[in-house]
Amino acid sequence: MFKFLKEVVAGSGSGLKDFPYSIGEPYASAWGSWTHHRGTSKDDGSPVSIFSLSGSNPQDRHLVAGRNGVKRLRTVRHPNILSFLHSTEAEVPDGPAMKHTIYIVTEPVMPLSEKLKELNLGGTQRDEYFAWGLHQISKAVSFLNNDCKLVHGNVCLASVVVTQTLDWKLHAFDVLSEFDANNEASGSPMLQFEWLVGTQYKPLELTKSDWASIRKSPPWAIDSWGLGCLIFELFSGAKLARTEYLRNTASIPKSLLPDYQRLLNSTPSRRLNPSKLIDNSEFFQNKLVETIQFMEVLNLKDSVEKDSFFRKLPNIAEQLPREIVLKKLLPVLASSLEFGSAAAPALTVLLKMGSWLPADQFSIKVLPTIVKLFASNDRAIRACLLQHIDQFGESLSAQTVDEQVFPHVATGFSDTTVSIRELTLKSMLVLAPKLSQRTISGSLLKYLSKLQVDEDPGIRTNTTILLGNIANYMNDGTRKRVLINAFTVRALRDTFPPARAAGIMALSVTSSYYEMTEIATRVLPNIVVLTFDPDSDVRTKAFQATDQFLQIAKQHHEKLTTGDTMVAESTGVQLKPGNAGLLGWAMSSITQKGKPSDHGSISTTNASNSQVSATSAATPACRLDLLLADCYNLTVCKLRQKDPRL
C-alpha cells in the first residue's frame, strides 16, 4: 500500500508545513469529488496542478478511493497519462473539527472542458484538434487495457486534462483496477470503487454488476464504452446526462460515426479495441495529426522526407489554429532542431512561427534554441542562422552575443566556402553593437584584417564596407590604430576596382574620426591619386571624397582664422547621420544596372549632397545586408566584363 506522509497545518491548505508547493485558485470543474487547483513550486516558481480531496475521517470511502488513485497515478507512466510529481495527506482545520485531505501535485494542466471554451475552435480546425486529442487518449486507454491489463473504469470528458502544449492526458485513476479474467465465475466486484462512476457512463453489464460477464469480456470493453461517452460529450458540447442520449449521433462526424457505434456496441466482446481505433479510423487522417506524428518521429525519417516535409510545413501551419501551432508545433520543432533530428529548412519554419509570438514569448520559447544552434557543426544550419539574423539579432542580449554567439559565428570568417564568409560579414552589422570592446579589438578586427587580403575580391570589398559601418562601435584608440591603415594601405590599393571605391566611401563615412593632420598627410594624398584611376567609378568617388575632405580642410582653416582653436583641434566636420549614409548611397549608386553613364549622374548628385551632409540630419546608415548584396552583384558584373564566360 502506498505510504502517505501526514502533515500538521496551521491554517488553510496553502499553509501546509514543509509542502513545497503553493496552492492557488481552483478551476471551476474537476473529476469526481476532487478539486483542481492552480499551483506553483516554492523552489523556482514553476507552475503545477494540485488536486485535493477531503473527507470527514481517514476511513471516508472517497479518501480510500482517492488513495487508490494516487497509488495508480504514481506507478503508471505513459506520455498520454498525467505526470505525477508529489503527494501528501494532511489534517486540515475545518471550523471546530478537522478534515482529512489528500493532495496530488502534477504537471500543470487545465480541465479539458475549460480549455475547449478558451480555444473556441470551430469547423475543420475543431475536428482536427479533437482528432489529435482523441488519438492521445485512445493511446493511453490502449496502454492500460492491452499492455497493463488495467481497467480505467470512467473515461469521460471530466477525466481528461490539457497540458500547456495542448496535449490531452488521462487521469482520475480512483476506479482503476486490474482486469481479473482468471475467475470468470466470480460474482465479486472487479472494480472496487465503481460506485464513483456516474450511471450515465456505465455500460449495461456494469450497471447490472454482471461481473461474470465483465470477466469474460475483453479488457477494453468498459473503457471502449467510456471512449464513446467522451466522443459524445466532445462533439455535443454538453455533459452526458443519460445513457440513452448516446443514441443521438447528429453531432458525430461521419468519418468517426462507424467507430463510435462500434465503441458503444451492446455486446462487450464486439466493442472496438482502442488500438484498432488509433490504427484504422479515417477520422484521424488529417493535417494536424499527420504533422505532429511526423515531427514526433522525425529522427526516423530520411533527409529527403524531412526536406519535403519542412518545405510544406509553412503553408500547413498557416491553415492550423494559431494557438495550436505556437503551443504544440513550435516546441516540438524547437526540440527537434536542438537535438539534431531536424534539418536546416526547419529553422526557417521555426523563425516564421516565432514571428507570430509576442517579443517576450519569442525570447523564452525560440531564442534559447537559436543560441544553441550557433554551436552546430551543420554548415546549412549555420548559413540559415546567418541569413536570418536580422529577424532575431535584436532580441539577443549583449552578454549572450559576446559570450555564446560570437565565438561560434567567428569560425565563419575562416570558412572555406565564400558564401559562409560573406554571410558572417553581413551578420556583424547586427552583432557588432552588442560586442564588448575587448571582443571587437581582440578578435573581430583580427578576423577582418585577414579578410581584407582574402583571395575573393568580393569578400575584400565587403570587409571594407563592414569596417566603415561598425567604426562607431570602436573606441577612439582602436579607430586611430585601424581605420586609416585599413582604408588607405589596403582598400585604396586593392586590384579590384569596387574594393577601391569602397575604401574611398569608407573614408568619407568615417571622416569625423580623423584629425586634420591625418586628413592632410594620409587621407587626401591617397585619394587624389585615384582621381586618374583606370576605373571611372573609382575616379568619380575619388573626386567626391576629395571635395568632401577639402571642404573639411577649408572649414578648419576658417576656424583657425577666427581663433576658434578648440574646434580647430578636431576635424572640423562632425559625423552626422547624413555622413553615416554615404557608404550606403555609394554602394547602391555604383550598381545601377552596371551603366557607367548612370554612375556618373548619380554620383554627381550625391557629391553635392555629401558637402551639405555636415550640417544636415538625414537618414541613418542603410542596412549592411543590402549593401553587401549590391556589392556582390557588382563583383559578378565586373568579373563578367573581364571574362564573358563567367
Side-chain angles (χ1 to χ4, degrees):
M1 176 64 69
F2 178 74
K3 182 179 179 180
F4 290 92
L5 299 174
K6 292 194 174 182
E7 309 280 351
V8 178
V9 296
S12 64
S14 59
L16 276 165
K17 291 183 179 180
D18 301 326
F19 189 60
Y21 301 93
S22 298
I23 302 175
E25 293 296 316
Y27 288 101
S29 61
W31 181 85
S33 299
W34 288 89
T35 301
H36 183 179
H37 301 266
R38 300 167 179 85
T40 55
S41 169
K42 292 179 180 178
D43 291 335
D44 56 11
S46 58
V48 296
S49 278
I50 301 175
F51 297 84
S52 64
L53 178 66
S54 298
S56 58
N57 63 77
Q59 301 309 315
D60 183 293
R61 62 178 189 162
H62 286 89
L63 291 180
V64 175
R67 293 185 186 109
N68 177 66
V70 175
K71 181 182 70 173
R72 300 296 189 176
L73 187 62
R74 188 180 189 183
T75 55
V76 178
R77 299 285 182 170
H78 187 269
N80 304 123
I81 290 176
L82 184 61
S83 297
F84 173 92
L85 299 178
H86 181 82
S87 68
T88 190
E89 186 173 344
E91 289 184 337
V92 182
D94 184 20
M98 299 290 288
K99 65 178 181 180
H100 296 262
T101 304
I102 297 173
Y103 296 95
I104 308 176
V105 184
T106 71
E107 62 183 310
V109 289
M110 184 176 185
L112 176 58
S113 57
E114 296 188 35
K115 175 54 73 173
L116 294 180
K117 291 177 183 178
E118 183 182 285
L119 292 175
N120 193 29
L121 300 175
T124 303
Q125 290 188 344
R126 184 203 68 166
D127 288 354
E128 288 188 342
Y129 183 57
F130 283 4
W132 172 242
L134 286 171
H135 187 272
Q136 292 182 298
I137 298 303
S138 297
K139 287 172 68 176
V141 173
S142 177
F143 170 74
L144 293 176
N145 298 159
N146 295 297
D147 299 331
C148 303
K149 296 300 184 283
L150 296 171
V151 179
H152 182 279
N154 195 199
V155 179
C156 60
L157 190 70
S159 62
V160 179
V161 288
V162 184
T163 68
Q164 294 179 321
T165 56
L166 299 183
D167 290 310
W168 293 17
K169 294 206 172 185
L170 185 65
H171 79 124
F173 284 1
D174 294 20
V175 186
L176 190 74
S177 180
E178 286 83 4
F179 178 73
D180 181 14
N182 296 325
N183 193 4
E184 296 181 0
S186 174
S188 61
M190 188 174 71
L191 304 180
Q192 183 180 358
F193 305 107
E194 57 85 19
W195 51 268
L196 285 168
V197 182
T199 306
Q200 70 273 30
Y201 296 112
K202 293 181 177 181
L204 184 60
E205 68 274 15
L206 188 56
T207 302
K208 294 180 177 180
S209 297
D210 187 356
W211 299 109
S213 174
I214 292 172
R215 286 184 169 89
K216 292 178 181 179
S217 305
W220 59 82
I222 293 176
D223 289 340
S224 290
W225 182 278
L227 280 172
C229 296
L230 171 61
I231 291 171
F232 175 85
E233 291 184 316
L234 278 175
F235 290 99
S236 66
K239 183 178 179 180
L240 179 63
R242 297 174 60 88
T243 306
E244 293 78 13
Y245 293 170
L246 293 171
R247 297 192 183 99
N248 183 3
T249 61
S251 61
I252 309 299
K254 291 182 179 179
S255 59
L256 184 59
L257 185 57
D259 295 318
Y260 171 77
Q261 292 171 331
R262 291 181 64 191
L263 289 169
L264 296 172
N265 196 297
S266 58
T267 303
S269 60
R270 294 183 179 179
R271 289 180 195 147
L272 183 64
N273 188 329
S275 65
K276 301 297 183 182
L277 176 68
I278 298 169
D279 297 336
N280 302 325
S281 179
E282 179 185 343
F283 181 67
F284 295 133
Q285 299 173 11
N286 62 59
K287 293 178 182 177
L288 178 62
V289 174
E290 292 170 357
T291 299
I292 297 175
Q293 285 183 314
F294 189 96
M295 293 177 69
E296 288 184 337
V297 294
L298 202 58
N299 57 332
L300 302 179
K301 304 295 183 180
D302 60 38
S303 58
V304 175
E305 290 177 302
K306 291 179 182 179
D307 287 346
S308 175
F309 172 77
F310 286 118
R311 286 192 179 94
K312 297 175 182 177
L313 187 55
N315 292 332
I316 294 174
E318 293 281 0
Q319 302 171 35
L320 300 175
R322 185 59 50 87
E323 190 166 359
I324 295 175
V325 171
L326 297 180
K327 290 188 176 182
K328 177 59 186 177
L329 296 184
L330 181 63
V332 175
L333 183 59
S335 178
S336 299
L337 276 164
E338 192 171 324
F339 291 102
S341 57
L347 180 57
T348 305
V349 185
L350 178 75
L351 292 173
K352 179 175 181 177
M353 291 180 179
S355 68
W356 298 338
L357 288 168
D360 58 334
Q361 290 297 305
F362 180 84
S363 298
I364 296 172
K365 297 182 177 181
V366 178
L367 274 187
T369 297
I370 290 175
V371 171
K372 291 178 182 178
L373 288 177
F374 274 105
S376 172
N377 293 324
D378 189 330
R379 180 174 282 161
I381 287 182
R382 287 166 49 206
C384 191
L385 283 169
L386 296 173
Q387 285 173 338
H388 297 91
I389 200 165
D390 59 320
Q391 296 180 28
F392 59 84
E394 294 300 323
S395 301
L396 295 168
S397 68
Q399 182 178 4
T400 299
V401 171
D402 200 54
E403 297 178 1
Q404 301 180 54
V405 174
F406 178 78
H408 296 296
V409 172
T411 61
F413 287 122
S414 54
D415 196 281
T416 56
T417 305
V418 174
S419 61
I420 295 293
R421 299 203 299 275
E422 185 167 1
L423 287 171
T424 305
L425 280 171
K426 286 185 180 184
S427 71
M428 285 304 110
L429 188 62
V430 176
L431 299 181
K434 299 177 182 290
L435 296 177
S436 64
Q437 285 299 317
R438 180 179 179 180
T439 302
I440 290 176
S441 59
S443 299
L444 177 59
L445 292 179
K446 290 182 179 179
Y447 287 116
L448 297 184
S449 176
K450 293 180 180 179
L451 290 182
Q452 272 210 300
V453 293
D454 192 272
E455 62 181 11
D456 185 87
I459 294 293
R460 300 198 300 270
T461 305
N462 290 341
T463 303
T464 300
I465 294 174
L466 176 62
L467 282 167
N469 275 286
I470 67 173
N472 58 318
Y473 304 125
M474 306 176 194
N475 57 38
D476 290 339
T478 303
R479 283 194 289 261
K480 289 181 180 297
R481 176 171 54 87
V482 171
L483 294 184
I484 290 184
N485 284 334
F487 298 148
T488 60
V489 177
R490 289 186 173 177
L492 297 189
R493 299 177 186 179
D494 198 291
T495 57
F496 188 53
R500 299 196 295 274
I504 296 171
M505 292 298 97
L507 285 167
S508 298
V509 166
T510 56
S511 60
S512 67
Y513 298 130
Y514 311 132
E515 295 179 356
M516 193 59 234
T517 302
E518 294 174 317
I519 292 176
T521 60
R522 302 182 64 188
V523 177
L524 272 171
N526 283 287
I527 293 177
V528 170
V529 170
L530 297 180
T531 56
F532 59 92
D533 190 273
D535 187 272
S536 63
D537 294 336
V538 175
R539 294 196 301 273
T540 301
K541 301 296 179 293
F543 279 115
Q544 292 174 0
T546 300
D547 290 343
Q548 177 187 350
F549 283 104
L550 286 175
Q551 182 69 15
I552 292 173
K554 182 179 179 181
Q555 291 179 9
H556 179 80
H557 161 70
E558 292 173 351
K559 295 295 182 181
L560 285 176
T561 303
T562 59
D564 192 350
T565 56
M566 183 176 296
V567 177
E569 292 175 357
S570 65
T571 299
V573 175
Q574 299 301 313
L575 184 63
K576 301 286 186 179
N579 281 38
L582 288 175
L583 190 55
W585 68 251
M587 296 315 298
S588 60
S589 66
I590 61 177
T591 57
Q592 296 291 325
K593 299 182 181 179
K595 296 180 180 180
S597 59
D598 292 341
H599 300 161
S601 61
I602 294 174
S603 300
T604 302
T605 303
N606 283 302
S608 62
N609 291 341
S610 68
Q611 294 178 4
V612 299
S613 66
T615 57
S616 65
T619 306
C622 63
R623 297 177 61 87
L624 184 63
D625 52 358
L626 297 179
L627 302 185
L628 296 179
D630 290 340
C631 183
Y632 178 78
N633 293 335
L634 176 65
T635 301
V636 174
C637 178
K638 290 289 183 180
L639 292 176
R640 284 177 176 170
Q641 288 177 0
K642 294 181 179 180
D643 190 347
R645 293 175 298 174
L646 296 177

